[in-house]
Amino acid sequence: MLSQYDHYFTRAPHTRYWLVVVDNHFEDCYSFFIYMQRFKAKLSKSYEIACLKCDKGQYEHYLSFLKKHSNLSIEYRDTDHLILPDVEVQQDLIHGHSNLRSFK
């Protein structure tokens, strides 16, 4: 995990980095991600640096090593509490979404 962290944490200038830990109940695992976003950019990138089976002891062990190795902020997520998406897209002609059906 730490080698993956070092690979993606390149300390690029004008880039914000943070960690995300997900308790994934769908796949019965804990996933660790590193996120990066250039300043003034809307797009953020994420890379999975580890995926561990759902074992609380192993999870706490790896998390403590990660905290010792990194000073990045950590965001915790749980798939039991998913964020609801925005209102369904009704019309987006650029990407081909349209509720207007005019077939001839």
Side-chain angles (χ1 to χ4, degrees):
M1 174 172 61
L2 298 181
S3 63
Q4 286 292 94
Y5 170 89
D6 291 337
H7 174 77
Y8 290 113
F9 184 47
T10 60
R11 296 173 175 84
H14 310 291
T15 304
R16 178 179 156 237
Y17 293 89
W18 69 99
L19 298 168
V20 175
V21 178
V22 179
D23 185 355
N24 186 339
H25 298 279
F26 298 111
E27 297 181 15
D28 199 31
C29 67
Y30 294 104
S31 297
F32 295 77
F33 296 89
I34 185 166
Y35 275 68
M36 59 186 67
Q37 181 179 32
R38 289 189 141 307
F39 289 121
K40 298 184 181 178
K42 293 181 181 179
L43 179 67
S44 61
K45 297 179 184 178
S46 66
Y47 300 97
E48 187 175 48
I49 57 174
C51 185
L52 312 172
K53 64 179 180 176
C54 204
D55 177 338
K56 194 72 165 172
Q58 187 181 25
Y59 162 76
E60 291 172 352
H61 176 74
Y62 277 96
L63 186 59
S64 69
F65 271 105
L66 188 58
K67 285 180 178 181
K68 289 177 187 174
H69 189 75
S70 172
N71 288 328
L72 296 179
S73 63
I74 301 175
E75 182 180 321
Y76 299 93
R77 297 183 186 168
D78 189 324
T79 58
D80 273 348
H81 310 286
L82 295 175
I83 300 170
L84 294 176
D86 287 338
V87 178
E88 182 180 336
V89 175
Q90 296 296 318
Q91 186 168 1
D92 181 355
L93 299 178
I94 294 171
H95 296 102
H97 303 277
S98 175
N99 63 348
L100 305 174
R101 303 276 187 216
S102 59
F103 297 109
K104 295 182 179 181

